[in-house]
C-alpha cells in the first residue's frame, strides 16, 4: 500500500512535471506570438511582395509563380501556428491533471524497473530526451489496462516485449494536486471508479481513459477485426470505449487516417451532441458524425419526404386504431428482412430487359429529347452491360444530342433578346471568354449568341450528368402496381403494395421503405459508396434491421465496422428478428466482445432492472451503493402534483439532471403541458440537438445512450407497459438512471415490476 511518504514523493513529481509544462508552454507561446505576427504581416503585404506583370506570356508565368510562392509561405506559417495552438491546448489539459496512472515495469533481461506514468497525452522533458508521461494509447500503456503486478507483456510494431510489473498505482489529480492515490490490481481501482461514477450526470459525455477496464481496452486496441461486435449491457461503457477506440486508431495510424476516413452513425442528433466533446477532450478532431436517417436523406438527393424512425415508432405505439395497422406492421417486418432485398434484386434483373422509367428533357416548355427516345436508346445497348454502366452511356449520348440542340437554338430570336439584356460586365466577359474570337467585329454577335445558349444549356447538362433523366421513383412505384414478385411474400402483399404505392404517389417514404429505395436507386444509377471511409462505427446497432445492415455491407464493402449495442434495448422490436449483434457466421475475421458489468447505475438500480431485462445476457452490477428504486402509487388526479413533488425531492438530494421519461411523444407533450406551470422544465423531441442540465421530459427512444442523475417514469402502470413488446422500452427507460429511479403507478403496476423481487424496491 502507498504510504504518506510515497504520497509526498508523488506530489513532488507532479509539481516538477507542472513546472516542465509551464516552461514548455512559455516557449511555445513565444514561438506562437512570432508566427502570428508573421502571418499578420504576410497577409497585409501579400501583394506588395508579388511581382504582377500580365503584358507578356513569360511575365504571366512569372506572376503565377510569384503568387504561388507567397501563398505557400503564408500557408506554411498558418499551419505551424495552428500546430502550436493545438500543443498549447494539450499542455493546458495536462497541467490540471498530468497523468492518472503509474506502472513500474522491469523488462526481461534488465535489473531496474522503469517508472511509466500514463496520461491523456505524451509529454517529454524540455530537452526532448525522456518521457515524463506516456500517451494512454501508446503500446507500452496497454500494460496499465491489461495486467496486475506480476508477469506482463505488450506488443510493439516489431516484437512482443515481456517483463514484470512490480507496482501499479492510480491517481486522482485535480488542479495539480493529488486528491487520491492507491495501489491496485488488474482492474482499475474501485476507488477511482467510485469517485468517477458518483458524480452528477453531465450534459456531455466525458472521457473515461483513466477508468478503462480490461474488456473495454480489448475493444479500443483491436486492430485485426474487419467486423467488431460489442454487446454491452446498459451502462457498460460501450459508447465511451468506441470513442476511445476512434482516438486510439487516429493515434496509431496518424500518417494514414484522418477524421474524414471515420464515420459514426448515432441514434439521434441529441446523442451526437452528447458525445461531441469526447474526442476533442482527447486532443483529436471530431470524425464525421451523422444519423442513418440523415445519411439516407443525403443519398436520395430528391424532393422526397422520409418518415423518421421515431415517427415510425410513434405509429407502432399509438396507431393501433388505424384500419391498416396490422398490414403496416407486416410491411415493416417484411421490408426489414434480407428476403425483401432478394425481391428487389429479382425486380432489378427484369428491369434489364424493360420497365425503367425516364423523363423528358425539356427546354422552354419544349421537349428536346423524349423519354421514349431515351428508353429506346437505353434498351438498344448491349444487354451484357450493367444498368449503371448503361446509364453512363446514355448520359454521354444525351450530352452529345444536347450539343446539336444547342447549336440549333443559337439562331433563334429569343437569344438576341437575352443578349440585349446583358449588362456591360457580362457582355465583356462573354466576349473575351471565347478563345477563338476573330478581330472582325462581325463575329461579335455570333460569339454572344453562342455564350447565351451555352449558359442556358449548362443547367440541363448538369442535370444529365446527375442522371436526373431517370425517373427512379416512378420505376420503384411500378414494382408495387404492375409487377408480381417471384417467391414468398406476405399474405397481405396486395394491401401492402397498395399502401406503399399511395405513399410513393405523395413522394413520401415510410421508414421501412427508405433503405430499400436508396438501395434500389444505387442499383439503377450506381452506388455513391464513399471509398474514403476506412472505419464505420454504428451505435445502438440492435435497432438496425437485417435489410439495413445488409445495405451498409453493400455500400461499404471494404470498410472495417464496429457495431455497438445491447439486445436488451432493441426498442424497434418489429424489425429486430435478425439482429446484427448476434454472431456473424458468414463474416471472415470478426470478433464479438461482451461487456456484462454495468457502471452507470447504482447496484440497487441494476439489480432491480436485471429482473425484467428482455435478453438472457448476464448483467453484473458495479459495487456502488445507493437507495432502492421507488414505486409510488397515485390516483389519476394526483399524477401531476406527485410528479412535481418527486422532482423536487430528487433535486433536494443534489441531483441536477432529472429526466421524466415517457413512452411516447404524445405522452411527453401531455406531461410537459401539465407540469410546465409548476416547475422549470424542458421538453426534448427529435428536433432537439443539445440539452442543458435541469428537468427534462422526453420519450424513451430519444433517451437511448444518455444518462441522468435521476429518472422518473410518470406512468409505470399496466395501462402503459403491459405487452411483451413494451419490455425493451421499459427496461431502456429505467436503465438511464445513475442514482435515483422513481416509478409512478396509477392503478395496477406494470407486470414487469411484478417480476422483480419485492426486496429490491420500496413502495410508497
Amino acid at each position: 500500500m502507498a504510504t504518506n511518504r510515497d504520497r509526498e514523493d508523488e506530489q513532488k513529481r507532479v509539481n516538477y512535471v507542472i513546472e516542465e509544462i509551464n516552461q514548455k508552454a512559455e516557449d511555445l507561446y513565444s514561438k506562437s506570438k512570432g508566427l502570428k505576427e508573421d502571418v499578420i504581416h504576410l497577409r497585409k503585404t501579400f501583394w506588395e511582395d508579388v511581382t504582377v506583370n500580365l503584358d507578356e506570356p513569360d511575365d504571366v508565368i512569372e506572376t503565377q509563380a510569384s503568387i504561388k510562392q507567397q501563398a505557400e509561405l503564408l500557408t506554411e506559417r498558418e499551419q505551424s501556428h495552428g500546430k502550436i495552438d493545438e500543443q498549447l491546448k494539450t499542455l493546458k489539459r495536462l497541467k490540471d491533471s498530468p497523468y492518472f496512472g503509474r506502472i513500474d515495469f522491469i523488462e526481461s533481461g534488465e535489473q531496474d524497473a522503469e517508472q511509466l506514468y500514463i496520461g491523456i497525452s505524451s509529454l517529454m522533458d524540455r530537452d526532448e530526451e525522456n518521457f515524463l508521461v506516456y500517451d494512454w494509447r501508446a503500446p507500452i500503456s496497454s500494460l496499465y489496462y491489461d495486467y496486475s503486478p506480476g508477469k506482463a507483456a505488450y506488443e510493439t510494431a516489431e516484437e512482443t516485449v515481456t517483463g514484470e510489473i512490480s507496482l501499479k498505482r492510480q491517481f486522482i489529480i485535480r488542479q495539480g494536486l493529488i486528491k487520491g492515490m492507491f495501489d491496485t490490481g488488474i482492474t482499475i481501482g474501485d476507488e477511482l471508479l467510485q469517485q468517477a461514477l458518483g458524480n452528477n450526470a453531465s450534459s456531455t459525455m466525458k472521457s473515461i481513459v483513466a477508468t478503462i477496464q480490461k474488456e473495454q481496452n480489448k475493444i479500443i486496441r483491436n486492430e485485426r477485426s474487419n467486423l467488431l461486435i460489442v454487446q454491452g449491457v446498459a451502462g457498460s461503457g460501450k459508447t465511451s470505449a468506441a470513442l476511445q477506440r476512434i482516438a486510439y486508431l487516429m493515434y496509431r495510424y496518424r500518417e494514414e487516417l484522418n477524421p474524414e476516413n471515420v464515420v459514426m452513425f448515432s441514434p439521434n442528433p441529441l446523442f451526437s451532441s452528447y458525445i461531441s466533446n469526447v474526442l476533442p477532450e482527447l486532443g483529436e478532431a471530431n470524425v464525421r458524425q451523422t444519423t442513418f436517417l440523415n445519411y439516407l436523406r443525403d443519398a436520395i438527393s430528391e424532393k422526397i419526404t422520409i418518415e423518421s424512425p421515431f415517427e415510425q415508432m410513434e405509429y407502432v405505439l399509438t396507431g393501433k386504431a388505424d384500419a391498416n395497422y396490422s398490414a403496416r406492421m407486416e410491411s415493416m417486418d417484411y421490408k426489414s428482412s434480407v428476403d425483401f432485398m432478394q425481391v428487389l434484386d429479382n425486380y432489378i434483373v427484369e428491369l434489364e430487359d424493360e420497365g425503367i422509367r425516364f423523363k423528358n428533357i425539356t427546354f422552354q416548355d419544349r421537349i428536346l429529347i423524349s423519354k421514349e427516345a431515351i428508353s429506346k436508346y437505353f434498351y438498344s445497348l448491349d444487354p451484357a452491360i450493367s444498368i449503371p454502366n448503361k446509364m453512363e452511356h446514355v448520359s454521354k449520348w444525351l450530352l452529345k444530342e444536347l450539343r446539336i440542340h444547342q447549336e440549333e437554338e443559337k439562331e433563334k430570336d429569343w437569344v438576341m433578346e437575352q443578349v440585349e439584356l446583358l449588362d456591360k460586365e457580362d457582355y465583356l466577359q462573354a466576349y473575351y471568354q471565347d478563345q477563338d474570337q476573330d478581330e472582325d467585329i462581325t463575329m461579335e454577335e455570333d460569339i454572344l449568341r453562342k455564350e447565351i445558349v451555352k449558359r442556358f444549356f449548362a443547367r440541363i447538362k448538369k442535370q444529365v450528368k446527375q442522371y436526373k433523366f431517370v425517373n427512379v421513383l416512378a420505376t420503384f412505384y411500378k414494382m408495387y402496381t404492375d409487377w408480381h414478385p417471384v417467391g414468398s411474400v406476405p399474405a397481405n402483399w396486395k394491401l401492402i403494395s397498395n399502401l406503399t404505392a399511395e405513399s410513393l404517389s405523395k413522394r413520401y417514404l415510410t421508414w421501412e421503405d427508405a433503405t430499400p429505395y436508396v438501395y434500389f436507386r444505387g442499383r439503377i444509377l450506381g452506388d455513391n459508396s464513399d471509398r474514403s471511409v476506412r472505419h464505420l462505427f454504428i451505435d445502438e446497432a440492435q435497432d438496425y434491421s437485417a435489410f439495413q445492415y445488409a445495405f451498409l455491407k453493400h455500400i461499404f464493402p471494404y470498410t472495417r465496422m464496429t457495431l455497438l449495442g445491447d439486445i436488451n434495448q432493441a426498442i424497434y422490436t418489429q424489425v429486430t428478428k435478425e439482429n446484427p449483434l448476434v454472431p456473424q457466421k458468414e463474416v471472415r475475421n470478426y470478433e464479438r466482445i461482451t461487456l456484462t458489468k454495468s457502471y452507470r447505475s447504482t447496484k440497487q438500480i441494476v439489480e432491480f432492472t436485471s429482473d425484467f431485462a428482455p435478453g438472457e445476457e448476464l448483467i453484473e452490477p458495479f459495487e456502488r451503493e445507493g437507495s432502492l428504486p421507488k414505486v409510488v402509487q397515485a390516483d389519476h388526479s394526483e399524477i401531476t402534483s406527485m410528479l412535481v413533488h418527486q422532482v423536487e425531492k430528487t433535486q433536494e438530494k443534489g441531483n441536477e439532471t432529472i429526466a421524466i421519461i415517457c413512452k411516447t411523444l404524445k405522452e411527453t407533450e401531455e406531461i410537459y403541458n401539465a407540469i410546465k406551470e409548476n416547475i422549470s422544465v424542458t421538453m426534448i423531441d427529435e428536433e432537439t440537438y443539445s440539452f442543458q442540465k435541469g428537468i427534462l421530459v422526453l420519450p424513451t427512444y430519444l433517451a437511448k445512450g444518455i444518462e441522468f442523475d435521476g429518472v422518473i417514469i410518470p406512468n409505470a402502470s399496466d395501462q402503459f407497459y403491459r405487452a411483451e413488446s413494451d419490455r425493451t422500452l421499459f427496461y431502456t427507460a429505467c436503465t438511464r438512471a445513475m442514482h435515483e429511479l422513481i416509478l409512478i403507478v396509477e392503478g395496477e403496476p406494470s407486470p414487469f415490476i411484478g417480476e422483480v423481487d419485492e426486496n429490491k424496491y420500496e413502495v410508497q
Side-chain angles (χ1 to χ4, degrees):
M1 289 294 291
T3 63
N4 287 338
R5 178 64 187 271
D6 290 333
R7 185 162 180 147
E8 286 172 22
D9 291 343
E10 292 288 9
Q11 185 60 58
K12 282 178 186 173
R13 187 183 190 278
V14 171
N15 297 344
Y16 164 68
V17 170
I18 289 172
E19 278 177 33
E20 292 287 294
I21 289 169
N22 287 336
Q23 186 59 53
K24 281 198 148 197
E26 208 173 297
D27 295 345
L28 281 170
Y29 184 72
S30 300
K31 260 195 211 174
S32 172
K33 201 175 173 188
L35 278 168
K36 190 175 181 182
E37 287 166 1
D38 277 1
V39 168
I40 292 166
H41 177 73
L42 279 167
R43 281 178 180 163
K44 277 183 180 175
T45 62
F46 188 93
W47 293 106
E48 292 171 23
D49 297 331
V50 171
T51 308
V52 178
N53 192 338
L54 305 176
D55 294 338
E56 299 293 333
D58 287 351
D59 294 333
V60 171
I61 292 167
E62 188 183 330
T63 297
Q64 287 174 335
S66 180
I67 291 170
K68 188 182 177 203
Q69 184 181 13
Q70 194 71 355
E72 283 173 352
L73 182 62
L74 179 59
T75 301
E76 184 266 322
R77 292 286 193 278
E78 285 176 332
Q79 285 176 344
S80 297
H81 184 265
K83 281 178 186 171
I84 288 175
D85 195 44
E86 286 302 313
Q87 287 173 300
L88 282 166
K89 283 179 186 171
T90 301
L91 289 175
K92 188 179 177 185
R93 283 195 298 270
L94 284 173
K95 189 175 173 181
D96 178 59
S97 180
Y99 41 82
F100 50 78
R102 166 187 165 181
I103 46 173
D104 292 2
F105 182 64
I106 309 164
E107 195 175 321
S108 297
E110 299 290 330
Q111 295 297 313
D112 299 324
E114 185 182 359
Q115 292 180 1
L116 311 168
Y117 287 83
I118 318 293
I120 61 160
S121 181
S122 292
L123 178 72
M124 298 192 81
D125 60 19
R126 69 185 79 179
D127 299 324
E128 298 294 318
E129 288 180 359
N130 301 305
F131 276 99
L132 298 176
V133 183
Y134 282 91
D135 192 298
W136 65 276
R137 297 166 288 189
I140 200 168
S141 300
S142 65
L143 292 168
Y144 173 75
Y145 297 112
D146 289 343
Y147 292 96
S148 55
K151 300 258 181 235
Y154 67 94
E155 303 280 342
T156 69
E158 297 81 29
E159 60 177 337
T160 300
V161 180
T162 60
E164 188 173 332
I165 295 174
S166 57
L167 175 74
K168 183 173 179 180
R169 181 169 287 168
Q170 289 176 252
F171 305 94
I172 298 167
I173 303 173
R174 297 288 179 268
Q175 296 174 318
L177 295 173
I178 296 175
K179 301 289 186 183
M181 182 185 108
F182 25 83
D183 297 345
T184 185
I186 186 167
T187 55
I188 307 305
D190 281 358
E191 297 94 332
L192 188 59
L193 271 172
Q194 289 282 9
Q195 185 176 84
L197 299 171
N199 293 330
N200 285 334
S202 167
S203 56
T204 54
M205 183 180 279
K206 297 298 182 189
S207 155
I208 59 157
V209 289
T211 56
I212 291 167
Q213 305 297 291
K214 187 176 181 180
E215 285 304 305
Q216 292 168 333
N217 198 40
K218 278 174 69 179
I219 296 164
I220 292 163
R221 293 176 190 263
N222 181 298
E223 296 176 36
R224 304 176 305 279
S225 304
N226 290 331
L227 175 64
L228 178 61
I229 297 173
V230 180
Q231 158 57 41
V233 300
S236 56
K238 52 189 175 290
T239 302
S240 297
L243 291 163
Q244 320 294 328
R245 171 167 168 72
I246 292 171
Y248 172 76
L249 291 168
M250 300 293 284
Y251 172 89
R252 176 76 175 79
Y253 299 101
R254 190 162 294 289
E255 299 304 315
E256 51 201 272
L257 203 63
N258 64 60
E260 285 299 304
N261 303 141
V262 182
V263 171
M264 184 167 194
F265 285 147
S266 298
N268 54 60
L270 180 65
F271 186 77
S272 296
S273 164
Y274 180 64
I275 64 174
S276 63
N277 207 43
V278 176
L279 288 170
E281 255 189 32
L282 297 168
E284 297 291 348
N286 266 323
V287 296
R288 289 158 63 184
Q289 256 190 64
T290 186
T291 61
F292 189 51
L293 171 62
N294 283 339
Y295 178 81
L296 294 180
R297 279 175 176 159
D298 291 344
I300 286 174
S301 68
E302 296 172 68
K303 288 183 179 175
I304 297 175
T305 304
I306 303 180
E307 176 187 51
S308 74
F310 317 114
E311 289 168 332
Q312 186 202 60
M313 190 70 197
E314 277 294 310
Y315 178 83
V316 171
L317 297 172
T318 63
K320 292 182 176 66
D322 180 13
N324 296 315
Y325 184 78
S326 62
R328 172 84 198 270
M329 294 298 288
E330 198 171 1
S331 175
M332 286 181 203
D333 190 45
Y334 183 64
K335 290 174 182 175
S336 301
S337 69
V338 286
D339 289 346
F340 185 59
M341 184 176 271
Q342 186 58 57
V343 167
L344 282 173
D345 289 340
N346 294 341
Y347 178 54
I348 291 161
V349 168
E350 293 198 17
L351 291 174
E352 290 173 0
D353 299 323
E354 62 170 347
I356 295 178
R357 297 288 193 255
F358 295 94
K359 297 175 187 174
N360 294 323
I361 293 180
T362 61
F363 179 67
Q364 293 184 340
D365 298 326
R366 287 178 283 127
I367 296 174
L368 296 182
I369 307 165
S370 72
K371 57 190 176 185
E372 291 81 11
I374 299 172
S375 180
K376 186 178 177 183
Y377 183 82
F378 178 87
Y379 283 110
S380 72
L381 295 168
D382 184 348
I385 302 172
S386 70
I387 292 176
N389 284 345
K390 280 185 185 177
M391 291 302 176
E392 195 177 343
H393 283 292
V394 174
S395 176
K396 287 175 182 174
W397 171 71
L398 288 171
L399 291 170
K400 195 173 162 187
E401 292 293 305
L402 283 169
R403 280 195 289 274
I404 296 167
H405 285 285
Q406 191 173 319
E407 194 63 31
E408 290 170 356
E409 288 294 321
K410 197 176 72 173
E411 304 307 320
K412 297 191 175 173
D413 292 343
W414 70 267
V415 182
M416 207 56 206
E417 290 169 14
Q418 289 295 322
V419 168
E420 288 164 7
L421 293 173
L422 285 174
D423 60 31
K424 187 179 178 183
E425 191 178 326
D426 280 345
Y427 187 96
L428 289 169
Q429 187 183 7
Y431 186 73
Y432 285 109
Q433 264 179 358
D434 194 295
Q435 299 301 309
D436 302 321
Q437 65 173 296
D438 197 286
E439 293 283 337
D440 189 349
I441 199 69
T442 59
M443 295 292 290
E444 180 183 336
E445 182 183 320
D446 190 57
I447 290 164
L448 293 170
R449 279 179 173 273
K450 188 175 168 184
E451 180 60 27
I452 288 291
V453 176
K454 181 179 157 190
R455 289 186 185 188
F456 272 77
F457 269 70
R459 186 180 62 82
I460 303 172
K461 288 178 179 177
K462 183 182 177 184
Q463 289 180 332
V464 166
K465 287 173 184 173
Q466 294 170 340
Y467 298 165
K468 295 285 175 70
F469 57 87
V470 188
N471 198 333
V472 180
L473 189 64
T475 312
F476 192 66
Y477 174 87
K478 194 172 80 74
M479 184 179 82
Y480 293 102
T481 54
D482 302 336
W483 186 72
H484 300 288
V486 180
S488 62
V489 292
N492 265 336
W493 179 250
K494 187 67 182 165
L495 178 55
I496 288 169
S497 293
N498 291 341
L499 290 172
T500 308
E502 189 183 337
S503 292
L504 294 175
S505 68
K506 297 171 185 170
R507 303 187 72 82
Y508 181 81
L509 287 168
T510 60
W511 181 239
E512 64 269 22
D513 278 310
T515 309
Y517 180 76
V518 174
Y519 171 73
F520 176 78
R521 188 178 188 278
R523 292 292 310 276
I524 298 297
L525 304 184
D527 289 306
N528 296 322
S529 56
D530 192 339
R531 302 292 175 191
S532 71
V533 179
R534 305 262 307 277
H535 285 272
L536 177 66
F537 288 75
I538 303 175
D539 207 351
E540 304 295 350
Q542 76 280 348
D543 289 334
Y544 284 69
S545 70
F547 191 110
Q548 289 169 338
Y549 181 57
F551 166 75
L552 288 170
K553 286 198 289 185
H554 169 75
I555 288 290
F556 300 106
Y558 309 111
T559 300
R560 294 189 171 207
M561 290 193 194
T562 302
L563 308 184
L564 314 144
D566 179 12
I567 290 171
N568 288 323
Q569 297 179 66
I571 64 173
Y572 298 94
T573 50
Q574 71 283 359
V575 296
T576 52
K577 287 186 176 177
E578 299 169 77
N579 198 297
L581 293 180
V582 301
Q584 305 280 315
K585 290 174 186 172
E586 80 284 4
V587 178
R588 289 178 60 199
N589 195 16
Y590 100 93
E591 186 171 351
R592 188 175 193 267
I593 296 174
T594 303
L595 301 176
T596 57
K597 186 166 276 193
S598 178
Y599 299 97
R600 173 187 297 136
S601 308
T602 60
K603 182 182 177 184
Q604 285 73 16
I605 293 172
V606 173
E607 288 180 343
F608 174 82
T609 54
S610 297
D611 280 4
F612 56 84
E616 295 178 6
E617 299 287 335
L618 174 68
I619 303 171
E620 300 175 83
F622 177 69
E623 294 292 328
R624 182 166 68 86
E625 297 293 334
S627 56
L628 288 170
K630 293 174 185 62
V631 175
V632 181
Q633 291 282 351
D635 293 333
H636 183 72
S637 59
E638 299 173 330
I639 296 287
T640 302
S641 58
M642 180 60 73
L643 253 177
V644 173
H645 175 65
Q646 291 298 335
V647 165
E648 290 169 346
K649 273 182 69 177
T650 308
Q651 281 180 312
E652 284 167 12
K653 292 185 178 180
N655 297 297
E656 296 174 348
T657 305
I658 300 159
I660 300 167
I661 302 182
C662 306
K663 185 178 176 182
T664 65
L665 185 62
K666 184 170 177 284
E667 186 198 354
T668 301
E669 289 167 346
E670 288 170 358
I671 294 289
Y672 171 74
N673 289 325
I675 65 172
K676 66 181 181 182
E677 301 300 325
N678 301 301
I679 50 174
S680 175
V681 62
T682 303
M683 189 178 86
I684 305 286
D685 59 26
E686 67 172 294
E687 297 301 317
T688 306
Y689 284 75
S690 63
F691 68 83
Q692 303 300 318
K693 290 184 176 184
I695 316 305
L696 312 167
V697 56
L698 69 166
T700 308
Y701 47 79
L702 291 181
K704 290 174 76 77
I706 303 174
E707 57 191 27
F708 309 96
D709 294 330
V711 165
I712 301 173
I713 312 290
N715 203 328
S717 70
D718 66 348
Q719 297 171 36
F720 274 66
Y721 298 98
R722 183 171 192 162
E724 188 55 36
S725 57
D726 295 331
R727 185 183 292 272
T728 49
L729 283 167
F730 192 64
Y731 176 80
T732 302
C734 292
T735 53
R736 302 306 93 203
M738 291 174 66
H739 312 301
E740 295 283 333
L741 175 61
I742 298 159
L743 301 101
I744 297 176
V745 174
E746 177 192 343
E748 286 296 312
S750 163
F752 307 130
I753 297 174
E755 294 176 23
V756 182
D757 187 311
E758 289 181 3
N759 296 321
K760 293 182 180 177
Y761 61 92
E762 181 185 325
V763 179
Q764 289 185 350

